[in-house]
Amino acid sequence: MSWLNFFRKERETNGTAATAKDRLQVIISHERVSRTKDDFLPKLQQELVQVVARYVSIDPGKVQVNLERGGDFSTLAIDIELPGPAGKAA
Amino acid sequence: MAQVIVVTSGKGGVGKTTSSAAIATGLAQRGKKTVVIDFDVGLRNLDLIMGVERRVVFDIVNVVQGEAKLSQALIKDKRVPGLSILPASQTRDKDALTKEGVQAIIEELSQEFDYIVCDSPAGIEKGALMSLYFADQAIVVTNPEVSSVRDSDRILGVLQSKSKRAEEKKEPVKQHLLLTRYDAARVERGEMLKLEDVLEILAIPLLGVIPESESVLKASNAGNPVIMDTESQAGQAYSDAVSRFLGEERPHRFLDVEKKKGLLGRLFGGRAA
């Protein structure tokens, strides 16, 4: 049995075509949507920094916007580093 | 009025020029007066694939800039009657082409020819946009490989937004998928995207599948369009594609791995053509 499994596993790891198809379906569906509208992320980041800066002094260089595109849903993660208690407040 | 066909892909190296040469030759073989234009200004190669590189005198840029007449730049193929080649310039850059200049050339060619095949350069820059702008039909050449499929989808978007037909809100450019370098053995092993996957993702009608074949390199070495190699699978697949393009029904071939040859067949059968 175990040696049979060996061959079966080998076959599965060879099957990268299925991975290719899944990856293409996700990225192409996202690109088709974004084709019709501008990339909003830079503006989103800029506006977010402005809003947060009204309350806390932050370094605009320490803002990370990460987008993970998925098939069913995507995740937008925004990381803003706030100065520590010792940091120079404006 | 001639039909303008663009052969395009976005990605480079997938077989646009090979396909342009084969399809233009196939159309001419079926009695259609056909001209094939190289739009890859600065990186001319259609002349080599068509085997006319030593006969180039003037090129498309000379015609656009009024330095030569169109009839002086056209090279008549010596093998197939009714087939002409308009080469690209090797020394200028793509900015030498203007929409007005290309339009004038296409209008003049329309008087004489049934089909105008435009061999697009890779990318989505000016040369590629020029080659697809006047198209009535597009043959999108795609390899079963992630970057090629993605770029094909991108170029389909460009056809739907930046062609003359799109800008004038006319009937859209008719799209055809030509899947090239298809390796049935690798598909069977699950290593390569299969035809059905690519069709599902791109969702455009299939014109043909060209199997990976040693005959393509042999043909380009010799400067003969591969469709003239009637023994080879690639040549036959291109021939089927041209027939389908002209509205004939042809079953798709070479999609499955050939049956294993017996010992004698393996000894004497040689390699796949």
Side-chain angles (χ1 to χ4, degrees):
Chain A
M1 231 0 235
S2 59
W3 63 273
L4 272 177
N5 277 339
F6 173 77
F7 285 109
R8 207 166 288 144
K9 261 215 180 96
E10 182 134 292
R11 237 193 139 75
E12 276 166 22
T13 48
N14 277 341
T16 49
T19 316
K21 185 188 179 188
D22 291 345
R23 291 176 59 216
L24 273 170
Q25 280 180 320
V26 171
I27 192 63
I28 284 180
S29 65
H30 281 280
E31 285 175 350
R32 279 181 189 155
V33 173
S34 61
R35 219 180 259 162
T36 50
K37 56 174 197 248
D38 292 335
D39 182 12
F40 63 91
L41 286 176
K43 194 151 185 275
L44 175 79
Q45 171 166 344
Q46 195 187 342
E47 287 178 13
L48 271 169
V49 170
Q50 285 170 3
V51 171
V52 177
R54 250 186 256 157
Y55 302 94
V56 206
S57 141
I58 53 166
D59 179 353
K62 290 183 174 165
V63 178
Q64 280 287 339
V65 179
N66 294 307
L67 183 60
E68 177 81 28
R69 295 171 183 85
D72 298 325
F73 61 89
S74 303
T75 321
L76 179 67
I78 299 156
D79 238 320
I80 302 175
E81 189 180 312
L82 303 178
K88 287 172 220 151
Chain B
M1 214 31 202
Q3 278 282 304
V4 181
I5 308 163
V6 62
V7 178
T8 186
S9 70
K11 189 175 183 299
V14 298
K16 282 184 296 297
T17 302
T18 298
S19 298
S20 299
I23 287 163
T25 305
L27 288 168
Q29 283 173 330
R30 284 160 181 74
K32 310 290 181 192
K33 293 202 75 184
T34 305
V35 56
V36 55
I37 309 178
D38 189 351
F39 274 86
D40 204 347
V41 174
L43 292 169
R44 161 164 96 204
N45 273 319
L46 181 68
D47 57 337
L48 269 180
I49 301 302
M50 293 294 299
V52 299
E53 70 279 4
R54 294 200 229 168
R55 296 168 61 202
V56 175
V57 182
F58 295 111
D59 57 58
I60 186 169
V61 174
N62 293 132
V63 179
V64 165
Q65 306 204 330
E67 298 156 354
K69 284 189 190 156
L70 184 56
S71 56
Q72 294 175 302
L74 283 179
I75 302 171
K76 282 202 169 70
D77 190 90
K78 287 181 175 170
R79 297 157 296 203
V80 186
L83 176 62
S84 293
I85 298 112
L86 180 57
S89 167
Q90 185 67 317
T91 49
R92 315 288 183 88
D93 63 49
K94 291 181 172 66
D95 294 327
L97 293 179
T98 62
K99 217 175 248 183
E100 296 70 29
V102 173
Q103 180 165 13
I105 287 176
I106 285 180
E107 279 171 7
E108 197 178 334
L109 291 171
S110 284
Q111 312 289 320
E112 195 186 334
F113 292 94
D114 300 316
Y115 288 99
I116 301 171
V117 177
C118 302
D119 180 20
S120 170
I124 48 170
E125 316 276 307
K126 190 166 182 188
L129 294 179
M130 284 292 158
S131 73
L132 67 79
Y133 187 73
F134 297 98
D136 301 304
Q137 308 201 41
I139 295 175
V140 179
V141 183
T142 307
N143 290 168
E145 181 269 324
V146 284
S147 50
S148 175
V149 174
R150 181 197 214 174
D151 289 0
S152 291
D153 191 72
R154 181 85 175 87
I155 209 79
L156 288 171
V158 173
L159 281 164
Q160 288 153 16
S161 62
K162 295 199 173 152
S163 62
K164 188 164 185 276
R165 282 179 172 270
E167 281 185 3
E168 293 176 355
K169 303 210 183 325
K170 289 190 180 156
E171 198 185 325
V173 177
K174 194 174 173 196
Q175 300 163 338
H176 308 267
L177 175 67
L178 188 66
L179 193 61
T180 56
R181 307 201 68 167
Y182 196 71
D183 187 333
R186 301 198 74 184
V187 169
E188 197 181 84
R189 291 199 296 269
E191 293 172 12
M192 182 180 267
L193 285 165
K194 55 176 183 279
L195 169 64
E196 292 76 11
D197 295 342
V198 180
L199 276 174
E200 189 187 331
I201 293 166
L202 293 178
I204 60 170
L206 178 66
L207 182 64
V209 179
I210 313 297
E212 173 81 65
S213 168
E214 293 182 2
S215 56
V216 173
L217 180 59
K218 284 187 199 160
S220 78
N221 286 342
N224 291 321
V226 70
I227 199 168
M228 300 186 81
D229 182 355
T230 51
E231 301 287 301
S232 73
Q233 292 193 346
Q236 291 170 27
Y238 273 116
S239 193
D240 288 351
V242 170
S243 298
R244 279 183 214 112
F245 188 83
L246 295 174
E248 295 168 35
E249 295 255 344
R250 285 282 187 286
H252 290 279
R253 297 191 272 172
F254 319 119
L255 299 181
D256 298 304
V257 184
E258 281 177 272
K259 290 262 155 56
K260 276 241 167 67
K261 286 176 182 168
L263 180 65
L264 285 177
R266 255 185 278 170
L267 282 174
F268 300 111
R271 289 162 176 235

